[in-house]
Amino acid sequence: MTEVIAASELSKTYGEVKAVDAVTLSVRKGALFGLLGPNGSGKTTMIKLLTGQIRPTGGSAVVLGLDIVKDPIGIRERVGIIPEQETPPSFLTATEYLDFVGAVRKIPDASERAEEWFDLLEFKDKRNVLCKDLSRGTRQKLMFAQAFIHGPVLALIDEPLINFDPIMQDLVKEYLADYVKKGRTIFISTHILEVAEEICSDFAILHRGRLLHSGPVADLALRNEHLPGFFLSLVREGRHA
Amino acid sequence: MPELFRNMMKEEWRVHSTMFGSISFALFPVMIFGIAFMGAFLLPLIQAALPAGSLAVLVHANFLLLGFLVGGFGLIGNEVMNRRFGQASLLAYSARSLPLSERFIFVTFVLKDIVYYFFFWVFPFGFGYIAASPFTGIPLERTLLLLVTLTLAFLFGLCTVFILSTVYARSRAALWLAVIVLGVFWGSLAAVTGMNPALFFPPLLLYFSFSYASLVLSCALLLLLFLLSVMLFSPEYAGTVKEVKNSFSPLTRRLSFFPDPPLAAKDLLDLHRSGSVVGQTLFSFLIPLVVIWFFLSLLGPFFPPHGLLFTFAILTGVIASTMYTWVTMFDTFGPYACLPVSVSTLIRSKVSTFAVLQAVPAAFIAAVAVLTGDAPALVPAVVLCLAVSFYAVSVTVWLTGLSPNVLVYDVRVLISYLILVGIVLTIFSAVSFAGLYYALTSVVLVIPSLLFFRRAMVKWDTVDQAGF
Ligand SMILES: Nc1ncnc2c1ncn2[C@@H]1O[C@H](COP(=O)(O)OP(=O)(O)O)[C@@H](O)[C@H]1O
Ligand SMILES: [Mg+2]
């Protein structure tokens, strides 16, 4: 199977708002896929749909061979997810939270893996602090560790670099680029175009819930274009359409 | 203040109306009004069966109870301010970045809550009686007075728990001291006068013999309690970093008999570390129920043998069923949504934690049975209390899933709840009055409870969980 995500006419409407509007999209195995779009274009909704957190109002999608409506739990067993705004539970410490995730995901050596994450993301000194007392940046590190602790074949990350300082941003970018080299897949959403151009192998552009473009980043270079310019011209066209 | 206050009101509205539509939310006070309005027509009937004034006692006790249940601001204050709540006040949290003092934001939040509760519960209820007065022949002044004294009863409950909970947040020793002082005060009042202390409840005194002097005195007392509570509230500053011993894994192992040990361990740690076990038990359970006992026992002579205890057991069961909100309030579904945990799994886990907490009402009713010299009724009373509690929680879970605090304000939800729970309460009050062991028949409630739980699991797995 080379296709990790396959969405067909996927839609989600909230009352009048078409948050995601008939999106057909596929993501190949080994890609570092960037979903780009301005605020409110439907990126978060798309990630929630693909991970079975919400149910589509139209269309369908298959993730790792599993249907998002029929087997959302199966999908969530296999993938790692970093949501946009969620913070770890207030009354657990960082260590306890990762132990909790390990217990729910039934990872036997979760504690050892957690230690590796404390080292890698440099927050060992905070590991016995309750999550409610952690800074935003540290919480985000913890959410990062939580998503990768079981070494998932696919990780979906909503705005991965938000809340990180430049040093951490570099570290994370490097980690993600390295992660896909072993044949695993990363799906990120972002509105920071430079980041996408720098690390993504493929990208798609979402605007008001509609998919305007999808393809490899390398194609742009062939056409001698840069992502920010390409994005802006597409979105402006979309606006007039 | 006005600006922040207005925005907080709007936010409260938004949270509720996005979850089930503005109309359902706006109809809520209308429904309370309707209940009171129609209830007013039953008054002559009820009055014929009960001694004069006892209905007034019960209604005041109800509003006192409502005040008790919503007054724990000291307990939840810092949760609200730090946005740790499921249905968090985003605004209270984000206002922290404005140049406003924490105390100021907190007071605004408390006032907003009081205003909301007043307009959603107290006012429509009192107004229902007022509107019915031309038809029922109850003099208008009496109904106006009732609105005033019910408001006072509500505020007395609220301010009492407000101050006790802020004291609790500062020092547990001071709280126990305060509780003992209050107990001794009311106890000696009872001993000296030889009367039930509930008769000295200021709003009741006021209702039975009105005078402006005592009205002013009551208001002054309330204001004093409120100001003291606000002064005692101690904002906890973010950045107070404490190291905590790792208790999760050992606890998970000890809870291996639970359906979902890690989820149960997390719930218990939440309850323990947020101070809810002691705090909620005291403020949302023990204090309200002990006080209600005194009000209810005013009617003691009119009950059949053991009837007072059985009625109290039913009431305790209903209050005990709200312990479900203790285990849902610190949790949004968000963190579970990135894990392979379905809504039904989480509900199952919350209900099993809830089941453990039911040791508290069971022990409480057993103690009441013994202390009031009604030990023979102990077993039937405990069974009745637990059966009612599990049945009421199964209805709650079926109707509200993981968001009981938000969804009660959906009119459809509240009506269904009142009907489903009301019928059962009526039946089992009547049955338990029939004789000492008739209350044991309440075990049959296990069957509808299981059905509601099963249907709840199916229902809530197909509903998107809103993350606030
Ligand atoms: N639960 C919801 N209820 C109503 N509208 C929603 C909900 N979630 C998202 N939306 C709307 O859907 C659109 C897309 O939102 P979102 O997916 O969060 O965009 P993005 O992540 O690209 O900023 C927005 O207009 C947003 O207001
Ligand atoms: Mg988003």
Side-chain angles (χ1 to χ4, degrees):
Chain A
M1 183 180 59
T2 58
E3 220 180 27
V4 198
I5 296 175
S8 160
E9 299 284 314
L10 194 60
S11 304
K12 179 76 183 178
T13 48
Y14 291 107
E16 301 282 286
V17 183
K18 292 180 174 174
V20 167
D21 187 5
V23 168
T24 298
L25 177 79
S26 89
V27 176
R28 65 175 174 83
K29 183 164 178 277
L32 205 172
F33 193 96
L35 184 62
L36 315 180
N39 288 327
S41 57
K43 304 182 296 295
T44 298
T45 307
M46 190 71 193
I47 288 190
K48 286 188 172 172
L49 283 169
L50 292 176
T51 49
Q53 300 182 52
I54 55 178
R55 296 158 70 89
T57 46
S60 63
V62 172
V63 175
L64 298 174
L66 304 172
D67 185 284
I68 58 165
V69 176
K70 290 197 196 105
D71 197 3
I73 299 301
I75 293 174
R76 296 217 291 266
E77 267 166 22
R78 290 166 180 78
V79 305
I81 306 167
I82 306 182
E84 184 175 33
Q85 277 179 343
E86 220 40 71
T87 53
S90 307
F91 292 106
L92 296 184
T93 65
T95 307
E96 287 175 335
Y97 177 48
L98 292 182
D99 284 349
F100 168 73
V101 172
V104 171
R105 290 193 174 281
K106 303 192 172 64
I107 309 168
D109 58 340
S111 299
E112 290 87 75
R113 293 194 194 190
E115 290 298 318
E116 287 167 28
W117 278 98
F118 293 137
D119 284 335
L120 180 71
L121 297 180
E122 299 165 1
F123 64 119
K124 216 182 185 89
D125 53 329
K126 302 276 163 44
R127 69 184 196 275
N128 291 325
V129 174
L130 292 183
C131 293
K132 72 183 174 70
D133 296 329
L134 294 173
S135 68
R136 293 208 138 223
T138 313
R139 289 182 202 179
Q140 181 75 3
K141 290 180 187 179
L142 198 51
M143 291 309 286
F144 212 88
Q146 160 278 132
F148 283 97
I149 194 161
H150 55 307
V153 289
L154 168 66
L156 298 100
I157 314 176
D158 204 352
E159 307 281 0
L161 299 179
I162 242 164
N163 297 324
F164 278 148
D165 63 33
I167 299 172
M168 279 310 301
Q169 291 195 5
D170 258 357
L171 206 151
V172 165
K173 282 191 243 174
E174 207 174 300
Y175 183 83
L176 296 181
D178 206 44
Y179 200 78
V180 293
K181 280 188 192 137
K182 300 166 205 157
R184 295 174 294 198
T185 314
I186 303 272
F187 185 102
I188 66 170
S189 85
T190 181
H191 60 272
I192 312 171
L193 304 171
E194 291 74 11
V195 172
E197 185 158 39
E198 190 184 339
I199 62 172
C200 290
S201 61
D202 302 80
F203 74 107
I205 294 176
L206 210 53
H207 182 53
R208 293 180 182 167
R210 295 202 65 97
L211 193 73
L212 300 185
H213 175 92
S214 178
V217 174
D219 284 3
L220 285 180
L222 290 178
R223 287 165 23 197
N224 217 355
E225 275 191 284
H226 277 287
L227 218 166
F230 178 72
F231 176 85
L232 287 176
S233 64
L234 261 186
V235 167
R236 288 211 184 98
E237 260 172 52
R239 215 159 262 170
H240 296 308
Chain B
M1 175 87 90
E3 180 71 6
L4 184 61
F5 182 78
R6 234 194 359 260
N7 283 323
M8 280 187 177
M9 296 291 279
K10 270 199 211 145
E11 183 192 16
E12 189 83 21
W13 180 270
R14 186 185 60 80
V15 166
H16 287 95
S17 60
T18 50
M19 271 185 88
F20 47 81
S22 322
I23 298 191
S24 249
F25 191 36
L27 279 178
F28 185 87
V30 177
M31 194 192 75
I32 298 288
F33 168 85
I35 290 174
F37 184 81
M38 289 185 291
F41 289 90
L42 294 176
L43 274 184
L45 287 177
I46 302 171
Q47 221 107 39
L50 282 178
S54 60
L55 194 66
V57 171
L58 283 185
V59 176
H60 282 90
N62 263 315
F63 279 81
L64 176 67
L65 185 63
L66 178 68
F68 279 143
L69 293 181
V70 303
F73 297 110
L75 201 63
I76 61 166
N78 281 310
E79 316 307 327
V80 174
M81 305 293 283
N82 291 320
R83 209 195 141 188
R84 280 177 229 147
F85 256 131
Q87 301 92 27
S89 173
L90 308 179
L91 214 65
Y93 174 73
S94 52
R96 288 164 63 112
S97 54
L98 300 173
L100 301 170
S101 83
E102 304 248 320
R103 202 178 302 279
F104 177 85
I105 300 167
F106 176 68
V107 171
T108 312
F109 175 82
V110 171
L111 288 178
K112 177 224 55 175
D113 253 27
I114 295 177
V115 169
Y116 248 95
Y117 280 109
F118 179 75
F119 280 104
F120 270 72
W121 293 94
V122 185
F123 183 74
F125 193 87
F127 193 64
Y129 276 102
I130 293 173
S133 93
F135 310 105
T136 53
I138 304 167
L140 184 64
E141 312 89 73
R142 289 307 285 175
T143 58
L144 281 173
L145 178 62
L146 184 68
L147 177 60
V148 172
T149 54
L150 285 184
T151 307
L152 289 178
F154 166 69
L155 291 176
F156 264 102
L158 186 140
C159 288
T160 306
V161 171
F162 188 13
I163 191 153
L164 288 178
S165 63
T166 38
V167 169
Y168 169 76
R170 290 223 159 199
S171 144
R172 303 207 173 179
L175 173 81
W176 292 119
L177 193 69
V179 169
I180 290 169
V181 167
L182 278 176
V184 168
F185 172 76
W186 289 104
S188 38
L189 195 63
V192 170
T193 59
M195 295 203 310
N196 185 321
L199 287 171
F200 296 97
F201 183 48
L204 266 186
L205 289 178
L206 208 58
Y207 181 75
F208 288 125
S209 69
F210 180 81
S211 82
Y212 281 102
S214 33
L215 177 65
V216 170
L217 200 66
S218 285
C219 292
L221 187 58
L222 285 172
L223 193 67
L224 181 72
L225 284 176
F226 184 83
L227 291 179
L228 270 178
S229 315
V230 170
M231 273 163 51
L232 281 173
F233 174 70
S234 55
E236 162 200 277
Y237 293 99
T240 44
V241 173
K242 249 189 351 213
E243 295 246 323
V244 176
K245 199 171 111 281
N246 185 348
S247 331
F248 177 79
S249 297
L251 192 58
T252 308
R253 277 192 293 279
R254 228 175 304 151
L255 297 176
S256 55
F257 54 91
F258 268 77
D260 310 279
L263 303 186
K266 179 184 172 301
D267 282 346
L268 291 183
L269 286 178
D270 280 352
L271 280 171
H272 175 64
R273 291 183 181 159
S274 60
S276 303
V277 180
V278 179
Q280 296 279 13
T281 302
L282 209 55
F283 302 122
S284 312
F285 189 83
L286 282 182
I287 293 180
L289 280 171
V290 167
V291 173
I292 294 302
W293 169 262
F294 285 103
F295 278 88
L296 210 57
S297 58
L298 283 176
L299 309 181
F302 305 95
F303 282 113
H306 316 293
L308 177 61
L309 181 65
F310 287 142
T311 306
F312 190 63
I314 290 179
L315 189 68
T316 304
V318 174
I319 301 283
S321 75
T322 64
M323 289 180 169
Y324 181 64
T325 63
W326 306 4
V327 284
T328 48
M329 78 178 159
F330 289 107
D331 239 5
T332 56
F333 190 69
Y336 301 96
C338 9
L339 296 170
V341 176
S342 64
V343 177
S344 55
T345 308
L346 193 58
I347 288 180
R348 181 179 64 192
S349 165
K350 299 281 176 200
V351 171
S352 42
T353 311
F354 166 85
V356 173
L357 291 174
Q358 295 309 295
V360 177
F364 176 71
I365 284 295
V368 171
V370 172
L371 289 176
T372 58
D374 207 355
L378 187 151
V379 174
V382 170
V383 169
L384 182 62
C385 168
L386 293 183
V388 166
S389 173
F390 276 97
Y391 173 76
V393 85
S394 73
V395 173
T396 308
V397 170
W398 179 58
L399 289 170
T400 67
L402 293 167
S403 316
N405 284 329
V406 180
L407 289 178
V408 282
Y409 288 101
D410 184 341
V411 176
R412 285 162 304 183
V413 166
L414 191 70
I415 290 181
S416 317
Y417 180 86
L418 290 178
I419 293 174
L420 287 170
V421 175
I423 289 174
V424 161
L425 297 194
T426 315
I427 293 175
F428 283 95
S429 313
V431 169
S432 64
F433 286 178
L436 182 53
Y437 292 107
Y438 282 79
L440 290 173
T441 54
S442 57
V443 288
V444 301
L445 285 174
V446 168
I447 297 165
S449 308
L450 286 177
L451 283 177
F452 277 121
F453 282 132
R454 292 244 308 264
R455 290 183 62 181
M457 306 274 208
V458 176
K459 172 181 173 183
W460 290 101
D461 263 342
T462 60
V463 177
D464 291 349
Q465 292 299 304
F468 283 104

